[in-house]
Amino acid sequence: DAGVIQSPRHEVTEMGQEVTLRCKPISGHNSLFWYRQTMMRGLELLIYFNNNVPIDDSGMPEDRFSAKMPNASFSTLKIQPSEPRDSAVYFCASSLDRGFTEAFFGQGTRLTVV
Amino acid sequence: AQSVTQLGSHVSVSEGALVLLRCNYSSSVPPYLFWYVQYPNQGLQLLLKYTTGATLVKGINGFEAEFKKSETSFHLTKPSAHMSDAAEYFCAVILNQGGKLIFGQGTELSVKP
């Protein structure tokens, strides 16, 4: 398996634009996590899904952020409109058995909002 | 409320010296505990985990950690540091049956020659 695949790897956008980050989890995994990493706040859990259903989105910072998982092989994290403070590295991770065994991380998307 | 606390955002050791990275957690139920490592410009990868059973857990690259319930700790150790161990290390906990995986702030390990 190719592992968790995130796209794009890098994204530079202007303030106010819509940004969509994509994630393909490992086949057969039933849990998917979105994290944001910054120097100031560390690694924050934004939202996680189990069997394509959002279980906890309490970490989503504002209504500008939304996440979907239309099927077991694809998830998106959307920011609309984007702001400079959204600049961060966004990681997607997937796991079997809700992360109790191991969460596998993608390479991340480095987002810069100017 | 902070569920995982890592003491020391940056630890520096000499090559061959003992590595000790500290992690304390707060949980009202038996936790599942993890250590992950992140190399520059990469995602995180699992070093080791504690679920149930033996409290001393061995992981990859010579690392181990001991779950101490009385101290609510899960410190990571390695007897002899290698230059390739330089990375950022994250302690993590799953708080409930729902599988919410929460990470500490991370500790950056530097290894001096």
Side-chain angles (χ1 to χ4, degrees), chain B:
Chain B
Q2 183 71 18
S3 300
V4 183
T5 303
Q6 291 183 240
L7 187 62
S9 60
H10 189 200
V11 170
S12 182
V13 301
S14 298
E15 191 173 18
L18 171 71
V19 176
L20 171 59
L21 305 182
R22 300 178 187 273
C23 174
N24 288 88
Y25 67 91
S26 57
S27 175
S28 58
V29 297
Y32 289 73
L33 295 161
F34 307 81
W35 276 98
Y36 281 78
V37 61
Q38 184 181 30
Y39 297 101
N41 299 315
Q42 294 189 25
L44 282 70
Q45 64 184 83
L46 183 68
L47 269 181
L48 50 79
K49 64 181 183 286
Y50 169 79
T51 53
T52 57
T55 56
L56 181 61
V57 179
K58 295 186 184 299
I60 61 172
N61 301 336
F63 284 93
E64 61 183 37
E66 186 171 10
F67 169 58
K68 291 186 177 181
K69 184 178 179 180
S70 61
E71 299 178 7
T72 60
S73 69
F74 191 57
H75 301 332
L76 181 71
T77 61
K78 181 174 180 177
S80 177
H82 192 273
M83 296 296 291
S84 61
D85 294 327
E88 188 150 19
Y89 292 80
F90 293 89
C91 184
V93 62
I94 289 182
L95 294 180
N96 53 42
Q97 295 301 312
K100 188 171 181 176
L101 182 61
I102 303 297
F103 286 86
Q105 288 288 91
T107 298
E108 184 178 354
L109 175 66
S110 300
V111 182
K112 299 175 291 185

Side-chain angles (χ1 to χ4, degrees), chain A residues 37-69:
Chain A
Q37 186 176 36
T38 61
M39 289 290 290
M40 291 297 294
R41 301 175 70 91
L43 201 61
E44 301 172 275
L45 177 63
L46 300 177
I47 185 172
Y48 75 99
F49 296 83
N50 192 44
N51 292 322
N52 311 337
V53 176
I55 302 300
D56 189 327
D57 64 355
S58 59
M60 296 285 263
E62 321 175 12
D63 292 344
R64 298 185 296 107
F65 285 70
S66 62
K68 294 182 179 179
M69 192 164 186

Side-chain angles (χ1 to χ4, degrees), chain A residues 23-114:
Chain A
C23 176
K24 176 177 167 55
I26 292 173
S27 176
H29 282 189
N30 57 11
S31 292
L32 184 140
F33 308 80
W34 281 102
Y35 291 90
R36 178 173 67 177
Q37 186 176 36
T38 61
M39 289 290 290
M40 291 297 294
R41 301 175 70 91
L43 201 61
E44 301 172 275
L45 177 63
L46 300 177
I47 185 172
Y48 75 99
F49 296 83
N50 192 44
N51 292 322
N52 311 337
V53 176
I55 302 300
D56 189 327
D57 64 355
S58 59
M60 296 285 263
E62 321 175 12
D63 292 344
R64 298 185 296 107
F65 285 70
S66 62
K68 294 182 179 179
M69 192 164 186
N71 56 62
S73 59
F74 184 65
S75 177
T76 59
L77 178 67
K78 183 179 295 186
I79 308 172
Q80 166 63 18
S82 58
E83 296 183 2
R85 60 193 169 121
D86 301 331
S87 298
V89 180
Y90 292 81
F91 286 103
C92 174
S94 72
S95 72
L96 194 61
D97 191 21
R98 295 174 295 169
F100 288 103
T101 51
E102 177 176 358
F104 292 81
F105 280 75
Q107 296 279 66
T109 295
R110 183 174 297 275
L111 173 65
T112 303
V113 183
V114 298

